[in-house]
Amino acid sequence: MKSTKFWAVLIAALLAVSLAASFLLLNSRSGSADAAVYQNGELLRTIDLSRVTAPYSFTVDGPAGVNAILVEPGRICVSHADCPDQICVHQGWISNSVVPIVCLPNQLVIQITGSARPNDIDGVTK
Amino acid sequence: MKVSVPLSALLALLLLASCAAPSAAGGQSHTVTLLAMDTVMELTASGEGSEAALEEASALIARLESLLSVTDEDSEIYAANHSGGAPVPLSGDTARLLEQALDLCGDIGGALDVTVYPVVRAWGFTTGRYQVPEEDALSGLLQLVDHTRISLEDGVLTVPDGMELDLGAVAKGYTGDRILDLFRSSGVTSALLDLGGNLQTLGAKPDGSPWRIAIQDPVGEGYAGVVEVENKAVITSGGYERYFEEDGVVYWHIIDPATGCPARSGLLSVTIVADSGALGDALSTALFVMGRERAGDYWRSRGGFDFILLGEDGTVTITEGLEDSFSLYGDWSDHELEVIRR
Amino acid sequence: MKRFSLRQLTYMAVLTAVALTIFVLESQLPAPFPIPGVKLGLANIVTVYAVFVLGPGPAAMILLARVLLGSLFAGGMTIFYSLAGGLCCYLAMLVMRKLLTKRQIWVASVFGAMAHNIGQIAMAVAITRTPGVAAYLPVLLVSGILTGLFTGLCAQFLIHRLERIPFRRQP
């Protein structure tokens, strides 16, 4: 049986390593961007845009039809929608958390939640 | 037990540590995101009473929406629009806002008219089923566009039969103003409201620096410029927000009340920086209809606000008040910047 | 199945109740992490204690009972995270049991908490299908080590006091 001192030292070391890793990860996270897809307020899925290697798309069904969502490394957009006003499609790509993509008829909201917004901007008027 | 004292000390320390961490990380800035008035709204407040103030703000938004909505059958506006010309009493908020809006319409002389709703509907912007209306239909509808025929006396509103009022052009700005009044009286010292793209601020950022508000690039993905403000509303109107294309021509939702057609004044977007959200909201639409020349003249004669115009030719025009706080950004950095002076 | 004495069964029932209570109370605390269902894992101290004092069999039963009942109270995705966390903690205990003495149970608690966190993160990655979630592991480990240390020391303290009382399982 190892002595108590051995275990105490081991635990202290593990704690130190975890703390260090936490700081490192918390800082580097400002580069990553998670896109959260909500429908009617419910989170459907979260996509880590910084880990996307190849473009892909998926669809979401809503009261006004279907939204086709296209995901590329670092950005996301609604490529096609059945809704009448097409505002979500016209909005194009988003790559930071400053502005979400919204399709009201389908109650769809795509919001990037990582702190990937340019640090020097507090809001966007549009 | 020989280790009891250091053990208890260690336990106490751990307890303290686990309590301290959450409260230190808690911070004072709170944000609420909600869907209202047909758009996404995000309210951020810092300072004492922020959380409670935000909750009250959410309730306020819901209340104002129910009063002002032009499509909600229970709203006062709807009642007035469908009263067949009969007088309808209004509650304080609705009356106040309508008075402000009607005064502005009169002041602006034609570029802004809250009775333009039937025309906007004819183009399909209210339902999303876009279409280019027939000329005869349009001239018929233009007869119904005349804010001077709206009567508002002692809080009683009379909308002539056939005409329809829509406060959509000022509702969000007014809501923002009311929310900031609420915040001020609640002790909130710093706040940022994003009401569907309308930005309004209270004070400076919690760290004392001014809020940096970016202006959406009307033709690209990023931003055209950044303006630094404290205690101001920054509101933009532009055709790029809602439009459709037919036979190669682009038609957008900002209608010139004089012609009944999308305003084509050579501008891509207008951003107003003002103390009041309602004013900013109204002027951003009006100046878009006016175009650069008329906008400059209007500003010289009236003052009390500043603007940033992004022209179709790529020129950026700003009023002298923004010279030190505005800067071009990204793709627009090398565009021509013109400063208008009195 | 091994027959338990009435005393043992009562002991196990009491421990299950304790674990459940801790679990329910813990659910009332504000979630420190943005993943719904991921918990601090304070109830694992009972698993740690049970493995060392009662043995692997009874400890497993207590764990299963607590997870099933707890998920009834908490609802949602909790059962998956509780199961993953609890199971990993339990397995870690089976290993630590061979390496530690009864005076080092607090050490076991720390490793149990770490194992619990690893299990929860693994489950979170599987459920949300976002490998990015694993980035929370170091932060979770820090909180795990600290809470494991805290509950472990409390338990150790308690055990020493309890040993003075002539009440234990039958030989």
Side-chain angles (χ1 to χ4, degrees), chain C residues 100-113:
Chain C
L100 297 172
T101 67
K102 288 233 177 75
R103 292 192 154 263
Q104 294 168 325
I105 289 185
W106 63 274
V107 173
S109 171
V110 172
F111 283 93

Side-chain angles (χ1 to χ4, degrees), chain B residues 1 3 7, chain C residues 102-104 154-165:
Chain B
M1 203 162 82
V3 291
L7 187 62
Chain C
K102 288 233 177 75
R103 292 192 154 263
Q104 294 168 325
C154 286
Q156 192 78 68
F157 199 68
L158 208 62
I159 289 170
H160 276 282
R161 290 287 185 241
L162 283 179
E163 265 177 357
R164 308 265 175 99
I165 306 170

Side-chain angles (χ1 to χ4, degrees), chain A residues 1-4 7-8 10-11 14-15 18-19 21-22 25 29 46 48 51, chain C residues 96 98-101 104 106-107 110-111 114 130 132 135 138-139 141-142 145:
Chain A
M1 297 291 178
K2 301 272 199 296
S3 75
T4 303
W7 291 112
L10 180 59
I11 288 174
L14 286 167
L15 185 58
S18 301
L19 274 168
S22 305
L25 271 159
R29 269 192 92 75
T46 312
D48 186 337
R51 277 179 214 244
Chain C
M96 298 312 282
K98 308 283 185 193
L99 301 173
L100 297 172
T101 67
Q104 294 168 325
W106 63 274
V107 173
V110 172
F111 283 93
M114 285 170 54
T130 325
V139 182
L141 281 177
V142 171
I145 293 175

Side-chain angles (χ1 to χ4, degrees), chain A residues 30-84:
Chain A
S30 52
S32 86
D34 292 320
V37 181
Y38 295 88
Q39 184 176 55
N40 204 8
E42 277 191 50
L43 179 62
L44 293 183
R45 62 163 84 188
T46 312
I47 302 166
D48 186 337
L49 297 173
S50 59
R51 277 179 214 244
V52 175
T53 45
Y56 69 92
S57 73
F58 61 96
T59 60
V60 175
D61 278 4
V66 171
N67 291 92
I69 298 169
L70 186 54
V71 181
E72 276 187 15
R75 59 186 198 165
I76 187 169
C77 77
V78 172
S79 58
H80 166 83
D82 287 345
C83 62

Side-chain angles (χ1 to χ4, degrees), chain B residues 198-213:
Chain B
N198 278 20
L199 277 279
Q200 293 191 233
T201 64
L202 174 65
K205 287 166 72 166
D207 65 3
S209 62
W211 298 97
R212 286 176 58 83
I213 308 296

